[in-house]
């Protein structure tokens, strides 16, 4: 089943963008692709590409004209200094949501586990955090993702713009270290998620943990039933290969965000487990 | 009891800034005042003023040198277009937190009820929302305040920078409409809150509802015991004068953020009460 | 007869803007007023004011939402250095036309005689130039107005955005020098022109000489019948007062643009009368 | 015959720039080449290269010192979003003309058929449009070219800066589609045009259709006799190869600007043929 | 004796600018005045005013056209954060010197004693420093002035642009503290200095201490004979009034720059007297 | 002997930067490397790399945290237009010195002979200029280097930040023309100089001629004994190869700065030898 209106994909020239463009094209979607960099290689069937800067609002609005859904994978996707995050991930997000509001389009926002990365990893059978947990960003990058989820909240509450915030764990061809046994999201599961989002009758404002069906997951309940998504892959198959690959850094190993938490960490002692009213 | 190190107050030339400068000076604090506009009138005792732009990071860091606490009341304090909010309230906030990290200073951030303004007002004896409720910003301004609280969260988790986020309701000489029977914060209560913050032995990352002891409050538990603050004033005394003054706008009256929620509201029907897993 | 949709007026805080706001309000129009400066004095009935910068595209688009006509009087309205003209008069114009395209609104653009100011003044009974004469801008300001008329041309040809370009002569309470016997536009005639524009069934892309019914006019045929406008005032009544007031500058007196032509003029000898194929 | 003063060529590292640099060098001209990108390959004899940004006015003025003619081929040369056109094609043009004014140099401006692209293609023996036709830009790019021609008009009228505006059709090694049977300009004809421009005793303000001697031309009279240029090549020789290659887009085929007209076209029905007083 | 070409005065709307405009007008000079702020009050005879931003290079070059001398008093004239100094005092200076080079004009640069402020004040009969002493700036402001003197050096060495650098001490109506007994420059002496500069047959690159004939001076030989200037006033007459007014700050009192040296001073102990090879 | 604190090296991805990174790593130093471009090739032992823009002040301050010495080789290192020099070499320098002040670090600034390039080359046995000679910059690049040395002077006088300014002559693998017989600095001598700087007990504010032990040197006394540096290489060994390679340009050959002096030189006649009081 394809969307009657084209789907706009930002960040189309990146790794995830190219994979998604191919997968959604194969599912018969009409696509508008955009990125600040040229699209590498031939365009998939049913897709056109428009080079644009996320920071150029009127161009973003033009590109989105006629689209029924926006998959927002553009912007800075790793931890960078504050100033480098600001324009693409803060200002650019505003342009994406203004476009969605004008088009009556829904938004899938590629959020990140780094928006909540300072939650501790659960030990053994400890309860997993649900998608309504408090934000605990682990970097300026993670902070921009929390900001993006809240902008989605605002546009839903005020303008009825539907949006799905996918807190992507680690989306790689396969897991490369022990942490990814918990956080890995397969390309196929992400592609299915996007397709389900496009097809869903109703989304509202929703949050989904962007991870495959990993037994070692850090994460609990979310809104996946809203779009009917069910991951089919699992990182567990890679345990033998990567189970021993740990960072050795106590901060990285303690918190869900891993190396992002440890980068620049300067606290004398880690904070206690968070309980409301204490800290 | 005064802080041994000077206290930096941003936004010092504004209404709240001038009031706080006078009150803290009267309590014996040594003050560094800053604002992009000149300080109107004579400086209070023990205070010096340095004009600066919150957007100029190195100047902000210089101004903060030697300070033990930062009361951050600077930036845009009403709803404005996205672009006007970005520089002072997003970039400027980063400068304030970098200064605090370098000085080992604690931060009181003048957050706002507009960071959670799309929560509905409680009816009758309905439960009040606690300070750990989900963010539901009602404007770009409110969104910048949520961002600021989360930046405080990040600097606490990663660098141990203590911060108190005061979600100010309506800080005016006295209530001027019915909504303020719930949200009013008296100048005296705010001044005491700031003094308590400076004097508190430990703050961590905390959130406090910035309202006086109003029986009609929208708000429940928070971290006020962390600094030992207890509001002494109440809006109730003004009920006769302002109790009938309602906006008449159904969106403004339904949500806690009032007119900020109604401004630009374009949703066909208000969303249902938020329950996790539904929307 | 009033427009069913509100009319957006840019430059509302300027001299012409304030006058037009009052006049159109009196005619029963619903108005959205905008300017970078606050509106001085009380708002006329049926009007709301939103402060905004013409250079902030997304804000301009928001302000225009729901409007059926845009009267674009904003931007720099006198000759200024190139850099000061660029942002308000070039970039700002793009924002206005993008807004019009999205809203299906029509545009009245306050162009200027300075877009054609280097045409010579006609002697005696010499033929007057028609509105389809070649552009001959006399300043960076005049060049920005020619640019604006051509942007209107582009939006009409490509997007069907209707626009009326009024080459305003001299719009003052009354003529103050001899040149204005030819170029004067009374406030009342301008207000009627705007009202006729709003009410016209069809505008297309049109150009009108913005001058009252002056016997000494420099100008001939234009598209005024398109909106049914007929100026009712005349500068001739002021001849006794101002007929002798000439600049004494040979360049200013030779060309229609007057002092704008003479400002910075550095040509050894004026060019010959333009005939196609010669120069 | 060579110019006694060096010739400045902007955009020297582009396709046309490199070709012209070689051709003019071979004709014995002393050349100053500039571009924001390095010059690829060895410099032709008698040429020096200075990297510079068209947006840096004082540098452009310095580079132009001592030059007697400027061939302005720099800037954006295809249709791009408004913001990407503004700095190089609007601001940069001002810098070029200020340089010319100061040096007493003449300017050849690489304008484009896209400044008039919304004129319809003539059918059969219909009259061709002359160079004094109305501007009908088909894109932001085409609009910047119209602006450039009018800036030339202003600098001629006010400062006596001579300038030749070449509305380049399609300057490629050879025609690649049916439209180019009308619009093709051979490299050799362009090189001769530039050489004739440099050598001409008097230019004034002139406009030339930048096309070879194509029987299927869209264009009529212009000012080519002013510089004594006569194109020697013809696209007709390529009819067999490309005569069937049409776009299939009714808008592109109707208007002279071709695909530029169709790009983003959103008008319900094309406008009628333009006659003055109608639209 | 007046200059045959007009004199350009930047910073004309400031205190010194207005005084100089009046004085030079009274001496019969033709003046071009410029400032970013409007000129307060009526223009003196023989003067015209053009508002401009020192940061707009092409406008500055246009304003300077035809001028034979530039008196550069514009820019930031007190100590300000680095970022506020950069545009007017660094970039703006470049524009002034480019203008001078193009016009063959000479420049009088309002430098400051703060370019050498970290020289110690001489005790008793100790030798005074000459104008060829090492630069020892006492602030970002003072550093920008040293930069300006060296830009003058560069333009003299490379382009033969004559320039006089006046290290102004304290130019006020009369001395207001003890330090000014050494540093005071009377308005009349400054006006004479400017007039002498304009009239001088040859200037080269020169440096003059901008102080009246004060017995308590800090300063020795300079190039004043180059323009034949001899100060006529003396601060000594004010000793009774201000001789006791000292700052009480040991850093301010030790160094010539006074309070500028003390502002932000953070050195554990002052450096020793500078001797080459030691520090 | 290694520094107990890491050494920050800016411009680490450039030619000198890479060489120094390798050499200092080999000497056992812990290094923080930064550049706007990625570091080419594998990192040397004990080094980490952080990409950053010198123009981003807060990032520079973060990168410098914990460092005990800064070797500042970043920025523009050849003559470029004013605007291209301003941000990296003026603003960037301020960020480096602010970082040093905060960290209590010392700075080695890669200055240049072009800060004094308009001193004439000494003939025969004529006296060499000492390091306390007057600045005579030969380009905007050289001017930025003089500015940098004076910023070092300011930070030493006001904040006690130690700094060594190395006026690098020509740092290449070997001399390539006759001028370098005087100005050549071998890589090995530069590496030793940096190592000596790091190890020196006290630096103060010092200036060193950055040249090997060349008999044909232009330069005399400096502060090298302050760090105990003694160059070991000599350009003389290359005389046979390069002794005849002169530019042929009289300006380049007359002045120490060589081709930088000749670039854009427009003076009718060179100035006389500078003697104080004459010019």
């Amino acid at each position: 089943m394809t969307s009657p209106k084209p789907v706009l994909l930002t960040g189309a020239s990146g790794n995830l963008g190219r994979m998604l463009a191919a997968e959604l094209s194969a599912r018969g979607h009409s696509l508008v692709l955009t990125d600040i960099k040229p699209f590498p290689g031939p365009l998939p069937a049913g897709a056109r590409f428009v080079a644009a800067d996320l920071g150029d609002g009127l161009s973003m609005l033009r590109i989105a004209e006629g689209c029924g859904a926006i998959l927002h994978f553009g912007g800075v996707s790793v931890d960078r200094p504050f100033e480098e995050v600001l324009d693409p991930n803060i200002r650019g997000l505003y342009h994406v949501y203004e476009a969605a509001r004008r088009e009556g389009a829904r938004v899938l926002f590629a959020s990140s586990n780094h928006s909540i990365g300072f939650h501790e990893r659960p030990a053994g059978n400890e309860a997993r955090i649900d998608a309504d947990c408090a934000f605990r960003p682990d970097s300026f990058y993670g902070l921009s993702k929390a900001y993006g989820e809240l902008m989605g909240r605002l546009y839903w509450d005020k303008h009825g713009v539907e949006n799905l915030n996918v807190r992507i764990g680690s989306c790689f061809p396969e897991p490369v270290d022990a942490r990814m046994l918990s956080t890995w999201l397969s390309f196929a599961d992400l592609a299915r998620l996007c397709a389900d989002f496009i097809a869903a009758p109703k989304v509202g404002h929703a949050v989904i943990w962007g991870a495959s069906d990993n037994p070692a997951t850090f994460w609990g309940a979310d809104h996946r039933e809203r779009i009917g998504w069910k991951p089919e892959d699992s990182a567990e198959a890679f345990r033998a290969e990567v189970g021993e690959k740990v960072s050795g850094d106590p901060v990285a190993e303690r918190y869900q965000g891993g190396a992002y938490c440890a980068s620049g960490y300067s606290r004398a002692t880690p904070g206690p487990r968070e309980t409301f009213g204490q800290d």
Side-chain angles (χ1 to χ4, degrees), chain A:
Chain A
M1 168 186 171
T2 64
S3 164
K5 284 185 170 184
V7 172
L8 173 61
L9 174 64
T10 72
S13 303
N15 287 333
L16 299 188
R18 291 200 312 265
M19 181 274 291
L20 289 172
E23 291 287 334
L24 295 171
S25 166
R27 281 163 171 84
H29 287 288
S30 171
L31 297 171
V32 179
L33 310 177
T34 188
D35 204 298
I36 201 169
K37 287 175 297 194
F39 190 81
L43 287 177
R48 61 190 178 87
F49 178 81
V50 189
D53 183 345
L54 282 168
D56 176 359
L58 267 65
S59 289
M60 290 310 297
L61 262 59
R62 281 197 154 207
I63 288 169
E65 282 182 58
C67 293
I70 303 176
L71 310 180
H72 182 38
F73 283 76
V76 166
S77 61
V78 292
D79 200 18
R80 294 297 304 144
F82 179 87
E83 286 292 334
E84 298 182 31
V85 172
L86 190 65
D87 197 60
N89 287 28
I90 300 287
R91 181 178 276 123
L93 201 79
Y94 165 56
H95 299 160
V96 165
Y97 269 99
E98 276 292 277
R101 180 177 69 81
R102 289 183 164 276
E103 301 304 322
R106 58 175 58 163
V107 175
L108 184 154
F109 173 52
S111 183
S112 165
N113 73 88
H114 297 293
S115 68
I116 56 87
F118 261 116
H119 283 280
E120 293 189 45
R121 302 187 186 184
N125 288 327
E126 260 186 324
R128 270 54 191 154
I129 54 174
D130 292 338
D132 65 346
C133 66
F135 287 108
R136 297 194 67 170
D138 59 19
S139 52
F140 294 128
Y141 167 71
L143 186 54
S144 78
K145 293 300 185 183
Y147 180 86
E149 293 195 25
L150 292 173
M151 187 170 272
R153 180 82 254 181
L154 170 60
Y155 270 80
W156 169 245
D157 281 340
K158 198 165 219 169
H159 306 298
V161 174
E162 294 192 304
N163 56 88
L164 174 62
N165 302 275
V166 184
R167 290 187 189 141
I168 295 174
S170 309
C171 197
F172 288 91
E174 49 186 66
V176 300
D177 62 19
R179 178 174 167 270
M180 290 196 196
L181 295 175
S182 302
T183 60
W184 185 59
L185 173 64
S186 74
F187 283 179
D189 279 338
L190 176 59
R192 278 187 288 265
L193 192 160
C194 290
D196 291 345
F197 162 77
I198 296 168
K202 187 167 183 324
V203 174
H205 170 77
V207 182
I208 290 182
W209 299 111
S212 287
D213 186 25
N214 308 323
T217 187
F218 300 154
W219 303 313
D222 64 14
H223 302 131
R224 62 187 62 193
E225 79 289 348
R226 199 86 66 81
I227 63 164
W229 177 64
K230 235 173 112 60
E232 301 177 11
D233 297 317
S234 163
E236 203 61 23
F238 301 87
R239 181 171 292 276
E241 282 174 60
V242 303
E244 309 295 312
K245 294 188 181 154
V246 294
S247 69
D249 181 300
V251 171
E253 294 303 317
R254 176 173 181 159
Y255 295 110
Q256 298 191 7
Y260 282 54
C261 297
S263 167
Y265 192 86
S266 66
R267 208 179 155 135
T269 56
R273 301 229 163 181
E274 175 91 346
T275 314
F276 179 60
Q278 302 186 317
D279 204 350

